[in-house]
Amino acid sequence: MNRFPAALFRGIARVTDSALGPHQTAVIRIGFSLTWLLFLLREFPHRQELYGPDGPWDFGLAEQLVATNDAFTVLLWSDSRIWFEAVYALAVLWSLLLLLGWRTRTMSVLFMVGVLALQNRSVFVGDGGDNVLHLMAVYLVFTRCGRVWSLDARRTRRAEEACARGERPRDRVGPALWSVLGFLLLMATMAGRMDGDRFIPALLWAVWFAQALWWLTGRRARTAQPRMLLDVVANTVHNGALLVIMAEACLIYATAGWYKVQGSRWQDGTAVYYPLHLEYFSPWPALADLLSASGTLVMLVTYATVAVQVAFPFTLFNRRVKNALLTFMILEHAVIAVVLGLPFFSLAMIAADAVFLPTSFLRRLGDLAARVRAGPRPRGGGVPLPAPRSPAGTPAEGTSVAETPADETPADETPASVEAAPAPGSVPGPRT
């Protein structure tokens, strides 16, 4: 009789006490910021034709479309070439800083602004990968994605070490960043630039005020309870956003699979053959011919693709089957990147798939990267440098994001014992 209430209370405590899946959200942060960064760098010579004043979709057409769908884009604030170049350069910078995990809450918001600014300026340029990136850029704002593998996590560790030595570290960059961005946001709002789309401006102001509340609570609160309450809210928002990301990935695959089932080419097992012989999607014709030479292989890949996409959402309850299908999908996207010449679409999909990767695998991957960064062991039996510390409560070996237990101290947060808590401009939770 009492099992259900006890399980319910444990579930609520698990959702509110910790930000689940710190490694998965870090991989999502790194994957999508890297995808967008590489795309912007590769298209830098063509930026004017894609999103700028030299493109076929000119400024007037973009204004007419935005007037009907209320999309948010700062590129339509001015038709100046200088303004376009500045926004494009800032989008590159914000992607790089989010990739490195510097002030991840603030950078996730600016990253979203950069993605929406360019994609909503020329909506007919993108593909399916751009649509996924568009959605995930918004979801990332709600996550605490800098708890591991980030400059924020390193800054937090150093703050903890300083506290242990009796020092009182102060964050001057956070307040300065928060003040500058608040001033720019106020100017844009007063100038009427935030008219149209209501969600994005409201989100920008909500994050800005949340940063201020977080900073003031850390500086002025006499007890730990207010900070604990903000942690509960931040963890709940993070876990809700993580659930939405997982549901979005499942919806993408389920929808794609069921639509493929209805196609005659997918039913007779020949659908994979045709894109291999389209000139637009054949950067390596010889490789495409080799893969399509066997009709049996084409049929098997066609049917396997449909089966995996339809079945994947139902395999999340079985870890081994889920990991097997996940491996197949990641390999398939890697093949698409090479054979069909769609690297950014494949990178975006692999980044979305990363939310389902096992925590044990990601931890081993992080340890390997740490050993590579530390270099070879010194001669004479020297002790190698330790790997970066994972946040408290890291899941046990073999568990996935859905099985992540509660932790005690978020790794991207400065301890509450620090008298001068990080400023509103910093991030994770309602701050970085």
Side-chain angles (χ1 to χ4, degrees):
M1 295 293 292
N2 296 327
R3 289 182 178 180
F4 178 74
L8 178 62
F9 292 147
R10 285 197 300 270
I12 294 175
R14 189 174 182 179
V15 170
T16 58
D17 287 350
S18 67
L20 301 178
H23 295 84
Q24 284 81 1
T25 48
V27 172
I28 293 174
R29 183 200 85 232
I30 294 171
F32 283 108
S33 58
L34 179 63
T35 301
W36 186 239
L37 176 63
L38 293 178
F39 174 79
L40 294 179
L41 293 178
R42 194 199 66 169
E43 300 298 342
F44 186 80
H46 315 291
R47 64 193 184 281
Q48 296 285 355
E49 292 78 13
L50 288 175
Y51 303 110
D54 296 338
W57 192 254
D58 60 21
F59 190 86
L61 291 174
E63 279 190 319
Q64 294 179 36
L65 181 61
V66 168
T68 59
N69 62 12
D70 292 331
F72 177 84
T73 171
V74 299
L75 279 180
L76 294 184
W77 291 1
S78 172
D79 59 354
S80 168
R81 189 178 296 267
I82 296 177
W83 175 247
F84 167 77
E85 296 291 353
V87 172
Y88 197 95
L90 287 173
V92 172
L93 177 62
W94 295 334
S95 302
L96 177 61
L97 293 178
L98 183 62
L99 173 64
L100 297 176
W102 185 81
R103 309 285 173 174
T104 47
R105 178 70 68 193
T106 301
M107 288 306 120
S108 64
V109 174
L110 296 177
F111 174 77
M112 176 193 68
V113 171
V115 170
L116 299 183
L118 293 171
Q119 290 191 354
N120 290 339
R121 168 63 176 81
S122 299
V123 294
F124 300 110
V125 171
D127 56 19
D130 293 295
N131 294 335
V132 174
L133 180 63
H134 189 110
L135 293 172
M136 295 301 177
V138 178
Y139 299 154
L140 271 176
V141 175
F142 299 93
T143 64
R144 310 178 84 169
C145 55
R147 301 179 64 242
V148 297
W149 300 339
S150 67
L151 295 179
D152 284 345
R154 186 181 68 174
R155 177 166 52 87
T156 300
R157 287 193 299 271
R158 291 179 175 178
E160 291 174 348
E161 294 169 358
C163 289
R165 295 192 301 267
E167 301 176 1
R168 297 177 178 177
R170 293 186 178 275
D171 181 16
R172 295 181 176 84
V173 176
L177 185 62
W178 176 84
S179 301
V180 171
L181 293 179
F183 175 77
L184 295 177
L185 186 59
L186 179 62
M187 292 296 100
T189 303
M190 294 179 63
R193 299 300 186 181
M194 296 297 186
D195 296 340
D197 179 28
R198 298 298 182 186
F199 174 73
I200 299 300
L203 177 60
L204 296 177
W205 277 113
V207 174
W208 189 80
F209 280 113
Q211 301 289 75
L213 181 61
W214 188 279
W215 182 76
L216 289 173
T217 301
R219 288 295 299 269
R220 304 300 181 186
R222 297 181 179 274
T223 62
Q225 280 76 12
R227 183 63 174 267
M228 293 172 61
L229 176 60
L230 292 182
D231 259 332
V232 168
V233 174
N235 291 334
T236 304
V237 172
H238 165 93
N239 294 328
L242 189 60
L243 179 63
V244 171
I245 291 174
M246 297 171 68
E248 187 71 41
C250 290
L251 183 62
I252 290 172
Y253 283 117
T255 304
W258 285 110
Y259 269 102
K260 286 182 175 67
V261 168
Q262 302 174 47
S264 59
R265 299 303 182 189
W266 292 96
Q267 294 174 5
D268 60 26
T270 62
V272 171
Y273 175 86
Y274 297 100
L276 293 174
H277 293 276
L278 291 175
E279 182 178 359
Y280 186 77
F281 295 107
S282 298
W284 315 100
L287 181 59
D289 292 338
L290 178 63
L291 293 177
S292 61
S294 172
T296 303
L297 178 62
V298 170
M299 182 187 66
L300 290 176
V301 173
T302 301
Y303 287 152
T305 299
V306 176
V308 168
Q309 290 184 349
V310 172
F312 180 74
F314 303 100
T315 65
L316 299 182
F317 303 101
N318 188 303
R319 181 160 49 90
R320 292 182 179 179
V321 177
K322 181 262 296 182
N323 290 341
L325 296 188
L326 188 62
T327 302
F328 176 84
M329 291 191 299
I330 292 176
L331 291 176
E332 185 179 42
H333 288 308
V335 172
I336 290 174
V338 176
V339 178
L340 298 183
L342 297 171
F344 302 110
F345 165 79
S346 297
L347 280 175
M349 292 308 303
I350 291 174
D353 295 340
V355 72
F356 300 106
L357 289 174
T359 301
S360 57
F361 169 77
L362 294 176
R363 291 178 62 189
R364 287 195 294 269
L365 190 64
D367 293 340
L368 177 61
R371 287 195 296 269
V372 171
R373 186 175 65 250
R377 292 188 177 186
R379 294 184 179 180
V383 180
L385 295 175
R389 180 167 58 86
S390 297
T394 302
E397 291 293 322
T399 58
S400 63
V401 59
E403 303 167 309
T404 307
D407 61 345
E408 298 176 359
T409 306
D412 62 345
E413 302 293 349
T414 303
S417 58
V418 182
E419 182 182 34
S426 52
V427 242
R431 106 180 164 80
T432 25

